[in-house]
Amino acid sequence: MTVLQPGYEGASAPDWLLRALGEGLGGLVLFARNEPGEQLVQRFRAENPGAVVAIDEEGGAVTRLEVTSGSSFPGNRALGVVDDVALTERVGRQIGRMLAEADITLNYAPSADVNANPANPVIGVRSFGPTADLVSRHTVAYVNGVQGAGAAACAKHFPGHGDTVTDSHLALPTVHASRELLAERDLPPFRAAIEAGVRSIMSGHLLVPALDPSMPATLSRTVMTELLRGELGFDGMLVTDAIEMRAVAAMFTPGEIAVRALGAGVDAICVGLSTERSLYEIRDAIVAAVRAGVLSEERLAEAAARVLALSGWYDRQSALREKARADVDGGVGLDAARAALTTTGTASLTRAPLVVEVNTRLNKAVDPSTPTGITAALGALLPGTERVQMEPEGELPPFDDRPVVLVVHDAARHSWVRETVARAVQVRPEVIVVDTGIPAAPAGAAHLVTHGISRVSAQAAAEWLTR
């Protein structure tokens, strides 16, 4: 049980999970649906003080602790655009401070993926950028910031999810790159993180034929042990991405995925959504594999030891966490968002606009009718701001005499979004375009790129538009 890190449904700690922790379950992962905070974590620690409590708190588009308001930090792409490693480390430290306040052991961040393919549907703004050197420098800065605040960081998604056109939540992506290209482009950020002392690395559910043509990286001894342990020298805790993701779940049962991952060299199995029954089924599959000689007892003991080593490291960082809790740098996220803002053209909104959300990425934890993002930020400064949400590939609403702001996400990836923007510009040349992701060529009288989805990114854009 030491090697399992299950997630669960609901806002309260389930009895079965508390019992499992008392029986030796080594950890768990928290999501926004659990309403994570210090009181909840203390329930878990009462049953198992050394439990590895993990969370995805990347900042930007991926936040669990600030899900209802939007992140206080602009996300990796914005930090890469600014390219100030001291600023990235400050952001990492403040994210680490949030974890310290909630007594969370491990942050499944940062994304160390090099977003080499602009069509990537799942990494995008979660990456620091498209080049190995840039991503390496900022991965190290982020890791130093989080771990300097006394929480463990986790570089992901090894060996690199940046050059894919498939979302591993939905299917198995393939990275079509030679071993030489991988070594030059995808591996340097992980190598840099290891040299910086990152405590954990997360495997990616990726098929990389140049490394292993038959098995996803998570289940490949060639990738997990020979490459990551042997060639790169990583000796920290290696955790899977969530095993219910279709990339691997379409191939094997959860129990078999766990057994194969452990056999490949992984130490902890992340189960994003678990129940009492599924947790014990995975445990029983691991026990059965050891008894049958499919998984060696030594390998399982080694995995458990690495989980316990991470827990021990966290326990020894209490002084760093205490110091970080007092080190409030409240404006750093907005400073970073302002610095990241890329603008073309001019605009000055003096009255409430019509905001047309073309293909915005919305916070799934917030009621869809609640204005968020650019609309909410503009509405706070210009009361009466109206929002229209377009259907995918739908028609633009009719325009009246109000200023028009189009909000798009990743226009570079979507031809229909670019066509929609072109139609709007044709009708209203003075239209303002705000892209919160990977942008296309500038269009409209003013074109803003926030390079991320967060509360502070939206605020920075709104401030610029109403200055």
Side-chain angles (χ1 to χ4, degrees):
M1 292 280 273
T2 305
V3 301
L4 301 181
Q5 293 183 0
Y8 62 94
E9 195 65 81
S12 58
D15 291 340
W16 62 265
L17 185 56
L18 295 172
R19 284 195 303 272
L21 286 164
E23 294 168 3
L25 178 65
L28 60 120
V29 55
L30 295 173
F31 291 89
R33 63 179 181 255
N34 307 131
E35 299 179 14
E38 185 179 13
Q39 282 188 313
L40 178 65
V41 174
Q42 293 314 309
R43 291 288 312 279
F44 298 131
R45 296 218 180 277
E47 299 297 330
N48 181 354
V52 173
V53 180
I55 200 166
D56 263 314
E57 191 62 37
E58 297 178 16
V62 180
T63 177
R64 313 300 189 206
L65 295 172
E66 296 187 294
V67 71
T68 56
S69 63
S71 179
S72 300
F73 312 100
N76 286 2
R77 178 77 173 206
L79 294 170
V81 166
V82 179
D83 196 13
D84 178 347
V85 290
L87 181 64
T88 297
E89 185 167 345
R90 283 173 63 198
V91 167
R93 180 169 178 78
Q94 290 306 300
I95 291 173
R97 182 181 64 79
M98 290 168 61
L99 303 175
E101 288 179 342
D103 198 13
I104 292 171
T105 316
L106 172 64
N107 192 7
Y108 288 157
S111 166
D113 307 295
V114 177
N115 197 57
N117 191 333
N120 194 315
V122 66
I123 301 301
V125 293
R126 297 169 63 196
S127 165
F128 289 110
T131 64
D133 179 63
L134 178 71
V135 175
S136 297
R137 288 186 285 111
H138 288 275
T139 294
V140 168
Y142 188 108
V143 167
N144 287 342
V146 171
Q147 295 191 168
C154 177
K156 62 186 182 184
H157 308 80
F158 188 83
H161 207 319
D163 188 13
T164 62
V165 292
T166 303
D167 183 343
S168 50
H169 293 86
L170 308 175
L172 177 62
T174 300
V175 178
H176 299 285
S178 67
R179 193 177 178 99
E180 292 72 24
L181 180 55
L182 292 168
E184 178 184 321
R185 181 192 65 193
D186 297 284
L187 298 182
F190 293 99
R191 193 184 295 275
I194 291 165
E195 291 173 356
V198 72
R199 305 307 304 184
S200 181
I201 287 178
M202 176 179 282
S203 68
H205 299 325
L206 312 160
L207 187 66
V208 190
L211 301 176
D212 187 333
S214 60
M215 278 292 150
T218 296
L219 311 180
S220 170
R221 184 170 177 81
T222 303
V223 179
M224 296 293 100
T225 295
E226 294 176 17
L227 177 58
L228 182 54
R229 300 289 192 200
E231 291 186 35
L232 272 62
F234 180 62
D235 194 39
M237 191 191 80
L238 177 52
V239 61
T240 69
D241 208 342
I243 64 169
E244 73 272 20
M245 292 165 64
R246 295 300 297 167
V248 289
M251 301 175 70
F252 304 109
T253 64
E256 188 166 357
I257 294 168
V259 169
R260 285 175 176 266
L262 289 164
V266 168
D267 304 309
I269 310 298
C270 172
V271 190
L273 183 56
S274 187
T275 63
E276 181 174 16
R277 178 178 175 180
S278 65
L279 176 66
Y280 285 95
E281 283 177 349
I282 295 170
R283 180 203 64 178
D284 292 347
I286 294 170
V287 171
V290 172
R291 287 176 176 162
V294 173
L295 178 66
S296 75
E297 196 169 340
E298 292 76 17
R299 170 78 273 272
L300 185 59
E302 177 187 57
R306 287 204 182 101
V307 174
L308 295 173
L310 179 67
S311 173
W313 176 88
Y314 178 79
D315 191 50
R316 295 190 297 275
Q317 310 310 309
S318 58
L320 285 181
R321 290 193 294 279
E322 196 62 35
K323 185 177 179 183
R325 288 188 195 103
D327 184 18
V328 179
D329 189 2
V332 66
L334 184 55
D335 288 346
R338 287 168 175 156
L341 198 65
T342 303
T343 63
T344 304
T346 59
S348 182
L349 291 174
T350 56
R351 58 196 180 103
L354 172 67
V355 179
V356 182
E357 297 183 350
V358 177
N359 69 325
T360 48
R361 283 186 61 180
L362 300 174
N363 187 325
K364 293 179 181 177
V366 177
D367 186 321
S369 66
T370 303
T372 58
I374 305 296
T375 304
L378 281 172
L381 297 173
L382 297 170
T385 294
E386 183 185 348
R387 173 175 75 163
V388 174
Q389 293 174 282
M390 283 181 56
E391 294 296 321
E393 305 196 43
E395 294 299 317
L396 284 161
F399 298 150
D400 51 29
D401 65 345
R402 288 175 295 178
V404 178
V405 178
L406 294 189
V407 182
V408 302
H409 182 73
D410 282 355
R413 288 183 50 227
H414 303 289
S415 59
W416 74 268
V417 171
R418 297 192 297 276
E419 290 162 6
T420 300
V421 171
R423 287 198 304 274
V425 171
Q426 191 172 22
V427 175
R428 290 284 292 273
E430 71 276 20
V431 72
I432 296 164
V433 180
V434 182
D435 197 320
T436 59
I438 310 297
H447 185 268
L448 284 71
V449 187
T450 63
H451 304 284
I453 306 166
S454 70
R455 177 176 53 79
V456 289
S457 299
Q459 184 178 339
E463 287 175 351
W464 189 89
L465 287 170
T466 57
R467 69 198 189 288

